[in-house]
Amino acid sequence: MRMLPCADSGLLVELDDLAAVRGLHAALEADPPAGVTDLVPAARTLLLRLDPAKADVAEIERVVRATPPAESADGRDELLRVPVVYDGADLGEVARLTGLTEREVVAEHTGAEWTVAFGGFAPGFGYLTGGSARLEVPRRAESRTRVPAGAVALAGTFSGIYPRESPGGWQLIGRTGLETWRADRDPPALLRPGVRVRFFEETGR
Amino acid sequence: MSGGLEVLEAGPLSTVQDLGRSGFAGIGVGMSGAADRSSLRLANRLAGNDEAAAAVEVTLGGFAARALRPLTVVVTGAPCPVTVGGRGAAPNALVHVPAGAVLRLGTPERGLRSYVAVRGGVTVAPVLGSRATDLLSGLGPEPLCPGTVLPVGPVPARWPSVGFAPVAPLAADELVLTVVPGPRHDWFTERALGTLLAEPYTVTSESNRIGIRLDGPALDRRRDDELPSEGMVAGALQVPPASRPTLFLADHPVTGGYPVIAVVVAADVDKAAQARPGLRLRFTARGRRTR
């Protein structure tokens, strides 16, 4: 466990793996130390957002080190089926990078069960893990200034769905009509940590 | 109580802001809220509101609104000419706006963002616990436009303790911001951190509530691998490859995939939020850790 301060606004806790992140996240969510305003889980880190007026960083570091991991509270048994038209602008590039054919990329993407590991990037965006190891690709060298809502993408070992139009640097392989985010719906995000996801192919419209 | 303030002109960008959202970072909802939080807090304190009440954040002036009933307002932040019914009014002070009169903010001579707090607070419907407009995620009310009517809440029971606050002038051509190196300064060459702390950086026109893109000497990395996306804070100086740093403001993304070389301390993020394109920034270190 490594503690990386973000001035007086945050404490970035670096952990060994995603399981450790989820264990610490669950424990701190149940009993947040004084001065912590929000928790941002990611692949290998948990960011504690701090209220600069209230947080005692040294004390929070001590509490975090002494906190045993907890069982993740989500334990959701939900399976979300996501229809995808596989015609993304980077499908050919992903095939080249992985040494697969475009059809094999689709087969790998639809053949695996993914799980939402954590959110971030945009409201309703879920980082999907546990899919096919053969689909590991780097982010694009240049970010796009505009990626459409519903774009289905890959980066690193993750897959994801852009919940709304935004800039983005992931490799686009397809698109879905599923509305993964609506602020006025309960829950607003379909892709919450713990939700399992299965992609299936829809023919182009 | 409804019927508060009818927007007549919104200038380049006017939005409703409070102190933002907490507790939804796990589903990717950022904090948002006033870019210059101390100016919002000051406006609310002077108006006798709760510090976290929602107000209007006006970017580069050009805002005009009609009071639909007698209102008491306070204008803070970037100093701009303020008029009520065509007559001059003071910034950082209680201003009475009679029913039907027009409150107008001219172009600030310095700074970028002015705040208009109304006694009683702007009471548009909250989204996920806040009335703030988050321009990155599209949460909260739409940016204001002519015709928008902003509801104003009931006048609070308490009276403001002071009617006027002295405020330090904003930087004219150079702003010094205090940073703490890290969390990822070890991804950069030793020289990169030295460069950041020695050389000036200029605010470019590619700047908004999400962040300020800076122009200046390149900050070279020590390692080329990809950083797994991780949580970001306002004030973070994130450095994309082959690029200059971006200083994150209120609407920054919740997570980012490029290393952060240093973070501006919270009090100075408010000053950065007043930095106009062309302004020179210098960074000075506090609490530098070596490892």
Side-chain angles (χ1 to χ4, degrees):
Chain A
M1 188 182 285
R2 228 166 43 121
M3 303 285 182
L4 309 172
C6 304
D8 50 352
S9 301
L11 180 64
L12 189 68
V13 184
E14 192 172 64
L15 295 140
D16 290 338
D17 53 26
L18 184 58
V21 171
R22 294 181 70 170
L24 183 62
H25 183 209
L28 294 181
E29 200 167 40
D31 187 15
V36 174
T37 59
D38 216 337
L39 298 167
V40 190
R44 285 215 307 262
T45 55
L46 180 68
L47 171 69
L48 282 60
R49 287 234 184 102
L50 308 179
D51 179 343
K54 292 181 188 150
D56 173 346
V57 179
E59 171 62 12
I60 291 169
E61 279 198 31
R62 194 195 61 74
V63 170
V64 169
R65 286 188 194 281
T67 299
E71 276 297 308
S72 188
D74 36 64
R76 292 183 181 94
D77 203 22
E78 193 178 320
L79 177 67
L80 184 70
R81 286 174 48 81
V82 180
V84 180
V85 178
Y86 286 94
D87 61 358
D90 300 321
L91 186 59
E93 178 65 5
V94 168
R96 193 188 66 76
L97 287 166
T98 55
L100 302 171
T101 66
E102 293 189 8
R103 290 311 305 163
E104 284 169 340
V105 170
V106 174
E108 289 291 323
H109 197 247
T110 54
E113 185 175 290
W114 302 77
T115 304
V116 182
F118 46 84
F121 172 65
F125 188 87
Y127 286 80
L128 304 173
T129 56
S132 166
R134 298 178 70 185
L135 292 181
E136 185 169 344
V137 287
R139 277 191 298 255
R140 288 167 49 83
E142 284 283 320
S143 268
R144 287 188 171 87
T145 52
R146 189 174 287 189
V147 173
V152 176
L154 296 170
T157 59
F158 299 109
S159 188
I161 303 168
Y162 283 82
R164 68 189 290 268
E165 185 184 292
S166 63
W170 288 32
Q171 311 270 4
L172 309 183
I173 59 170
R175 59 193 155 94
T176 180
L178 191 69
E179 248 189 318
T180 52
W181 167 263
R182 272 181 58 186
D184 59 356
R185 180 178 62 195
D186 189 21
L190 295 183
L191 302 175
R192 302 175 310 284
V195 170
R196 294 175 299 132
V197 174
R198 196 87 200 202
F199 294 100
F200 66 95
E201 186 172 17
E202 216 180 33
T203 45
R205 282 157 290 175
Chain B
M1 232 180 280
S2 60
L5 208 53
E6 181 190 0
V7 177
L8 305 176
E9 290 167 33
L13 175 70
S14 297
T15 56
V16 175
Q17 298 296 342
D18 56 16
L19 291 179
R21 300 180 174 84
S22 286
F24 299 99
I27 54 168
V29 174
M31 195 152 117
S32 188
D36 174 356
R37 299 163 73 84
S38 56
S39 290
L40 172 81
R41 284 192 161 111
L42 175 65
N44 277 325
R45 278 201 307 275
L46 287 171
N49 291 338
D50 186 290
E51 277 197 344
V56 179
E57 180 181 281
V58 177
T59 312
L60 275 175
F63 177 81
R66 187 190 312 279
L68 300 180
R69 60 183 163 89
L71 296 173
T72 303
V73 305
V74 176
V75 180
T76 64
C80 56
V82 179
T83 59
V84 173
R87 299 175 66 166
N92 307 309
L94 284 168
V95 175
H96 297 282
V97 187
V102 174
L103 167 75
R104 197 173 281 278
L105 273 63
T107 306
E109 72 246 35
R110 283 182 192 178
L112 203 54
R113 298 181 169 98
S114 308
Y115 293 84
V116 180
V118 187
R119 192 161 150 77
V122 172
T123 53
V124 294
V127 174
L128 300 176
S130 162
R131 298 182 164 95
T133 298
D134 183 336
L135 293 176
L136 178 69
S137 65
L139 292 178
E142 290 289 312
L144 304 184
C145 60
T148 306
V149 173
L150 294 172
V152 171
V155 168
R158 67 188 148 159
W159 271 98
S161 47
V162 287
F164 169 82
V167 171
L170 293 172
D173 41 40
E174 185 170 289
L175 177 63
V176 180
L177 301 173
T178 301
V179 299
V180 177
R184 297 292 177 189
H185 60 294
D186 56 348
W187 278 57
F188 298 85
T189 61
E190 197 52 42
R191 199 170 148 191
L193 190 56
T195 300
L196 179 74
L197 298 175
E199 302 295 329
Y201 283 81
T202 308
V203 174
T204 70
S205 57
E206 288 175 86
S207 300
N208 51 33
R209 283 181 42 85
I210 297 163
I212 302 173
R213 195 165 286 186
L214 298 174
D215 195 13
L219 300 171
D220 294 327
R221 277 211 214 167
R222 176 179 292 170
R223 44 195 291 190
D224 294 328
D225 45 330
E226 283 198 23
L227 177 75
S229 288
E230 61 189 24
M232 293 281 144
V233 296
L237 285 162
Q238 196 198 44
V239 187
S243 183
R244 310 300 188 254
T246 294
L247 199 174
F248 279 148
L249 296 181
D251 290 354
H252 69 86
V254 177
T255 60
Y258 302 122
V260 170
I261 189 169
V263 178
V264 175
V265 300
D268 283 6
V269 175
D270 292 338
K271 296 181 190 166
Q274 295 292 358
R276 279 191 198 190
L279 190 76
R280 213 162 51 238
L281 302 185
R282 284 189 184 272
F283 298 102
T284 177
R286 185 175 85 191
R288 179 168 169 193
R289 284 192 172 192
T290 48
R291 77 168 90 83

